[in-house]
Amino acid sequence: MAPRKLESVSLEPSEDPATFESKNVHQIYDAIATHFSSTRYKPWPIIATFLQNLPTGWVGFDSGTGNGKYLPLPADRPGAIWTIGMDRSRNLLEIARHAGGDDVVREVVWGNVLENAWRPGAFDYAISIATIHHLATYERRKLAVQRLIQAVDPNHGRILIYVWAIEQDELSKRKVVDQDEAVVADEKGKDVMVPWVLSKNLAAKPSEDSSPPEVFNRYYHMFAKGELGTLAKDAAVALGLSVGDPSAEEVGQGVEVVQDGWERSNYYVELRRWSK
Amino acid sequence: MVRLITHNLLACHVKNCNANNFPLEFQNVQLEIREAEFNPEFVKGFLPKIEWKALVDTARQLGDTSLPNEQPEMLDDDFLKNLHHVLLEIHVEEGSMVCPNCKHEYPISSGIPNMLLAEHEIA
Ligand SMILES: [Zn+2]
């Protein structure tokens, strides 16, 4: 199948971003939760490796946990670390609660990635996978990263963030931009609507008739190269933290970028907090 | 579900509610006890991050008096098992959590706490 060109979208200056996200992200995940979850079961390698390498006894949270597929990890040491899932979609949380099998119950919290529902610095780690790209402005995406930084321990807290990239690999069915648009998008990212064709059997309200399947359009901000790293640094600076290697500083608190890259149509960045 | 491990990490985040906003107080709770696999290394690793007084007081409110007022120096198996039970096996299925400072109520339904605020309450 040839890649589909995605419809671009831009937020009207008069439009409230929270209302826009509610209509174009949250309501849609609640409607497609069961079908969506049935297609999301394989953890991405970088995230699995990140969780595998955390020390036993660490507690973290997954901001935008979706169907909770990262909550049972690491597979080789179940129960060695404890990840609490948070999401804006109540219907996805019902699924996340039983991620990894019905015999174990996961901890999940109905919450907003822009709010601080936690004691400051309470967690050892935080992950946010395929979530921040649903926020409709740069300021809101930056605030979401600030919330992650605030939630983890100032001395050793670790953070992993994943978002969709404009640069999609050849296996992907998505095509985001035409060649002539590519230059602009390379710097700023691109706002698009991504269609979800709902399987009738897995709809929130299953229908028997022969009407065509329902299509839901979800809002995404697709990140340009370098944009996620810049966002993370801006978030640290907004909190009054240094950015960079702790060895360069005498005293203070900061955030170090541990790794920054592209994996299978996504950009990721790993951060570490330090104090001295 | 709200287990005490999660409760020990949550705080009220209503705008301008910055002091005495932890721990949230459970009200009208329905509890369920579910066995969880005991991992002493996990419990020991988490121990330094626990707000101890909040955990002990909350456990007592829910009817579990197995934890001492002060963290013991010797971490024997009995202590770790009691702590494991308090943190991971008591599930609050229904009820609410109320902020001791601003009295905001966070409802718990089918084991899932609702920490969402209205737009005007967000800091
Ligand atoms: Zn409060």
Side-chain angles (χ1 to χ4, degrees), chain A residues 179-212:
Chain A
Q179 282 305 328
D180 55 341
E181 291 179 348
V183 178
V184 180
D186 261 357
E187 288 165 10
K188 293 182 171 170
K190 187 165 176 65
D191 293 329
V192 295
M193 297 303 267
V194 180
W196 184 273
V197 181
L198 184 61
S199 157
K200 284 194 178 178
N201 305 328
L202 298 171
K205 297 174 213 131
S207 71
E208 300 279 325
D209 61 40
S210 59
S211 58

Side-chain angles (χ1 to χ4, degrees), chain B residues 3-110:
Chain B
R3 279 178 257 193
L4 296 197
I5 185 171
T6 304
H7 174 264
N8 204 259
L9 299 162
L10 289 169
C12 181
H13 55 295
V14 168
K15 197 174 184 170
N16 301 326
C17 184
N18 307 312
N20 187 32
N21 59 347
F22 169 88
L24 303 173
E25 286 162 13
F26 282 118
Q27 286 192 356
N28 305 320
V29 295
Q30 284 174 35
L31 302 181
E32 216 168 282
I33 306 297
R34 293 193 187 91
E35 225 170 280
E37 198 169 327
F38 177 49
N39 182 337
E41 294 310 311
F42 170 80
V43 177
K44 272 189 232 167
F46 182 55
L47 190 57
K49 281 154 288 193
I50 297 173
E51 283 288 336
W52 189 254
K53 188 177 182 322
L55 183 69
V56 173
D57 290 350
T58 306
R60 287 179 188 170
Q61 279 163 24
L62 299 183
D64 187 300
T65 56
S66 64
L67 297 179
N69 285 332
E70 304 290 332
Q71 276 186 32
E73 281 172 27
M74 274 286 293
L75 304 179
D76 61 27
D77 232 35
D78 276 350
F79 168 72
L80 292 173
K81 277 185 179 150
N82 287 338
L83 183 54
H84 161 81
H85 176 72
V86 166
L87 287 172
L88 303 179
E89 296 190 324
I90 305 173
H91 296 247
V92 177
E93 295 290 316
E94 303 288 332
S96 64
M97 293 179 290
V98 177
C99 173
N101 181 40
C102 75
K103 309 295 171 199
H104 184 89
E105 190 175 333
Y106 298 92
I108 301 165
S109 155
S110 306

Side-chain angles (χ1 to χ4, degrees), chain A residues 56-57 59 79-80 82 84 88 90 97 105-112 115-119 122-124, chain B residues 1 3 6 8-11 13 22 39 42 45-46 49 51 88 93 109-110 112-117 122:
Chain A
T56 296
V59 173
W82 191 274
I84 298 172
R88 186 66 180 70
R90 187 66 167 63
R97 220 186 151 184
V105 190
R106 309 287 165 194
E107 284 295 278
V108 297
V109 170
W110 195 11
N112 182 335
E115 297 172 24
N116 253 348
W118 315 103
R119 280 200 271 129
F123 289 101
D124 299 299
Chain B
M1 36 288 94
R3 279 178 257 193
T6 304
N8 204 259
L9 299 162
L10 289 169
H13 55 295
F22 169 88
N39 182 337
F42 170 80
F46 182 55
K49 281 154 288 193
E51 283 288 336
L88 303 179
E93 295 290 316
S109 155
S110 306
I112 300 178
N114 179 355
M115 300 305 290
L116 294 168
L117 298 175
I122 299 173

Side-chain angles (χ1 to χ4, degrees), chain A residues 54-99:
Chain A
L54 297 174
T56 296
W58 274 28
V59 173
F61 88 109
D62 181 0
S63 179
T65 193
N67 66 351
K69 73 177 160 179
Y70 295 104
L71 303 183
L73 297 186
D76 59 337
R77 285 185 300 145
I81 61 172
W82 191 274
T83 313
I84 298 172
M86 185 179 85
D87 206 275
R88 186 66 180 70
S89 163
R90 187 66 167 63
N91 291 353
L92 280 174
L93 289 178
E94 297 285 350
I95 297 167
R97 220 186 151 184
H98 298 289

